[in-house]
Amino acid sequence: MIYVNGVETSANVNRGASTFSPALAENITYLNAGDYIELYMRVTGTGTLTVQNGGTWTYLLVDKISGPSQVLASETVACAYYCSTNNVLLANNKVNFDSKDYDSHNMVVTGSGWYFKPPVAGLYEIIVQYRSASAQTTGILVWKNGSALTSLTTMETLGRTSVVQIPLLSTDQVDIRPAGNNTFQGGLTTADSTSKIFIRKVGNYV
């Protein structure tokens, strides 16, 4: 089995029944800078396993498989994040959608300085699902590069989903902020009441 950062990522590879039968496995794993991989052997039952030493018998090959340096026009560019806990915010403070459902190009930086940065210029659709945990109604704004860009809609206790499309360059940074003091409700990604954000590239830059 192959482990990445201490977590098993590959399926088991069954070795043959004979004494010297080989086991050959190939696995494609996505790695970021700083990740580490480990190779483990698992024995079923009460038997033991001896790994033969020497490069002729036992070896591990690692190759980097890279696509083109630029994002292809047909390539999916999308991400989805949600608030795992309530975000108690003052006016114009960034919402921290801290937990990831998926992110095709690692485009989001989480934390108090949360932002989305696209890997390629294009027309991007931003969908924000939000619910106020503080029973307050305030406007919700999309900010770009440190300035308010456009309004989504008014935040309500019962929650609302809003959509906006904006052209972005690969150097732009986008985030979401309330126009007034408010609390974005957090929770599980499966809960209807959890605040979420979805961003995807829907066209070319205009």
Side-chain angles (χ1 to χ4, degrees), residues 156-179:
E156 296 181 352
T157 303
L158 296 179
R160 181 173 288 184
T161 299
S162 295
V163 182
V164 66
Q165 292 184 354
I166 56 175
L168 295 174
L169 299 172
S170 61
T171 54
D172 289 333
Q173 294 183 5
V174 171
D175 58 82
I176 305 299
R177 312 186 193 192

Side-chain angles (χ1 to χ4, degrees), residues 9 12 16 29 34 54 58 71-73 115-116 122 141 152-153 166 182 195 197:
T9 62
N12 294 335
T29 303
T58 305
V71 178
L72 299 177
Y115 66 82
F116 165 85
L141 304 174
L152 287 168
T153 187
I166 56 175
N182 215 319
S195 299
I197 187 169

Side-chain angles (χ1 to χ4, degrees), residues 167-201:
L168 295 174
L169 299 172
S170 61
T171 54
D172 289 333
Q173 294 183 5
V174 171
D175 58 82
I176 305 299
R177 312 186 193 192
N181 299 351
N182 215 319
T183 300
F184 276 65
Q185 184 160 317
L188 299 175
T189 187
T190 52
D192 293 338
S193 59
T194 299
S195 299
K196 306 174 184 179
I197 187 169
F198 307 86
I199 306 177
R200 65 185 182 120
K201 182 176 179 287

Side-chain angles (χ1 to χ4, degrees), residues 23-76:
L24 175 64
E26 180 178 359
N27 185 68
I28 297 176
T29 303
Y30 292 94
L31 298 174
N32 295 316
D35 288 345
Y36 66 92
I37 61 174
E38 299 170 287
L39 182 64
Y40 284 83
M41 301 294 183
R42 177 182 296 162
V43 181
T44 58
T46 58
T48 60
L49 174 66
T50 300
V51 179
Q52 183 73 35
N53 63 3
T56 303
W57 294 99
T58 305
Y59 52 89
L60 173 67
L61 296 177
V62 180
D63 291 314
K64 179 183 177 183
I65 304 175
S66 298
S69 59
Q70 296 184 354
V71 178
L72 299 177
S74 60
E75 189 173 345
T76 298

Side-chain angles (χ1 to χ4, degrees), residues 85-88 130-137 155-159 181-187 193 195:
T85 59
N86 287 0
N87 274 222
V88 182
Y130 39 79
R131 180 170 180 173
S132 173
S134 54
Q136 295 177 328
T137 56
M155 189 171 184
E156 296 181 352
T157 303
L158 296 179
N181 299 351
N182 215 319
T183 300
F184 276 65
Q185 184 160 317
S193 59
S195 299

